[in-house]
């Protein structure tokens, strides 16, 4: 499984996660309770993994060890304390990471938003974990919100949530996702000129087909 080229990864990062999910409805979706803590950002990169059981030391170490462009995927199997905050995010940004995803809690939300690095978590709590566990990058598979994530899998995220895919899945979905965004932009432009949403789709035909029990797909007419 070859990693995405820089050109392919750039195309992925230009797309909404929802567009890629439209192009490939089999993309794995972690628990949507893991959500964007920093609004209006977009993230995509190969996963590096770390296990941090209510202890932020592994995360701080991993943030400095992970390669530039990667997404740090943190799993807290205890989940009661924050295992990342502004200092971890600042280190991740200094290291050139694409973002941080925590199956657990973070803190320093105001500081995270000032930094602007994409950070996803189940929520925030002011209580920090300990700093005693000496492990850093785990370099093994983890379960992120119920979804297996292996190092090298692509983790995508924006305000709508997260998706996980192999490089081959994203490579195959790219053209379709770009077409989704082209069509939606054309529909929005037409609606701005006064045409209704139904006028841009096969809605009437599709509805009649489904009412008759016939197979049909709703599609844009642009």
């Amino acid at each position: 499984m070859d990693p995405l080229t820089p050109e392919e990864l750039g195309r992925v990062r230009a797309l909404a996660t929802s567009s890629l999910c439209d192009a490939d409805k089999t993309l794995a979706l972690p628990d949507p309770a893991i959500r964007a803590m920093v609004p209006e950002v977009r993230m995509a990169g190969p996963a590096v993994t770390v296990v941090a059981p209510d202890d932020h030391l592994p995360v701080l170490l991993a943030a400095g060890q992970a390669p530039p462009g990667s997404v740090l995927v943190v799993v807290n199997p205890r989940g009661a304390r924050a295992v990342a905050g502004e200092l971890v995010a600042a280190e991740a940004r200094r290291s050139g990471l694409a973002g941080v995803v925590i199956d657990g809690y973070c803190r320093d939300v105001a500081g995270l938003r000032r930094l602007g690095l994409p950070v996803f978590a189940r929520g925030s709590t002011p209580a920090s974990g300990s700093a005693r566990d000496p492990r850093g990058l785990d370099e093994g598979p983890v379960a992120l919100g119920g979804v297996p994530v292996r190092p090298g899998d692509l983790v995508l995220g924006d305000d709508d949530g997260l998706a996980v895919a192999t490089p081959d899945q994203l490579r195959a979905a790219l053209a379709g996702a770009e077409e989704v965004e082209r069509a939606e932009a054309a529909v929005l432009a037409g609606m701005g000129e006064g045409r209704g949403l139904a006028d841009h789709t096969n809605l009437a035909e599709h509805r009649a087909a489904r009412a008759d029990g016939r197979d049909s797909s709703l599609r844009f007419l642009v």
Side-chain angles (χ1 to χ4, degrees):
M1 182 172 59
D2 294 330
L4 295 184
T5 66
E7 185 269 338
E8 290 170 332
L9 188 55
R11 290 167 64 191
V12 169
R13 287 174 172 159
L15 292 163
T17 303
S18 59
S19 300
L20 288 156
C21 289
D22 284 349
D24 183 349
K25 297 185 183 296
T26 71
L27 297 189
L29 304 176
D31 185 349
I34 305 173
R35 63 191 188 276
M37 306 304 292
V38 177
E40 299 181 14
V41 293
R42 191 173 288 176
M43 173 191 76
V48 293
T49 60
V50 61
V51 177
D54 271 354
D55 193 304
H56 62 262
L57 182 57
V59 188
L60 181 56
L61 293 169
Q65 296 168 338
S70 59
V71 172
L72 186 60
V73 176
V74 182
V75 175
N76 180 358
R78 296 180 187 167
R81 300 270 176 163
V83 294
E86 186 175 11
L87 293 180
V88 166
E91 176 67 355
R93 187 177 69 171
R94 184 197 67 79
S95 299
L97 273 61
V100 178
V101 178
I102 307 164
D103 193 343
Y105 296 104
C106 68
R107 70 176 191 173
D108 305 331
V109 174
L112 297 179
R113 291 174 178 169
R114 283 193 296 269
L115 281 168
L117 182 81
V119 175
F120 293 75
R122 288 187 178 272
S124 61
T125 177
S128 177
S130 60
R132 299 177 60 83
D133 191 323
R135 79 183 96 184
L137 286 179
D138 187 81
E139 299 183 356
V142 296
L144 172 66
V147 169
V149 177
R150 297 167 297 272
D153 284 345
L154 275 296
V155 180
L156 327 169
D158 54 25
D159 284 327
D160 285 335
L162 295 166
V164 178
T166 67
D168 287 346
Q169 280 181 298
L170 288 186
R171 191 174 285 115
L174 264 174
E178 289 168 342
E179 176 58 23
V180 166
E181 296 207 348
R182 185 203 67 78
E184 289 186 350
V187 169
L188 287 170
M191 293 177 70
E193 295 169 357
R195 294 176 61 199
L197 179 58
D199 296 332
H200 294 84
T201 70
N202 67 332
L203 178 61
E205 174 189 334
H206 172 64
R207 182 186 181 194
R210 295 307 302 145
D212 290 341
R214 292 181 281 119
D215 190 29
S216 177
S217 296
L218 184 66
R219 63 183 187 276
F220 295 126
L221 303 177
V222 293

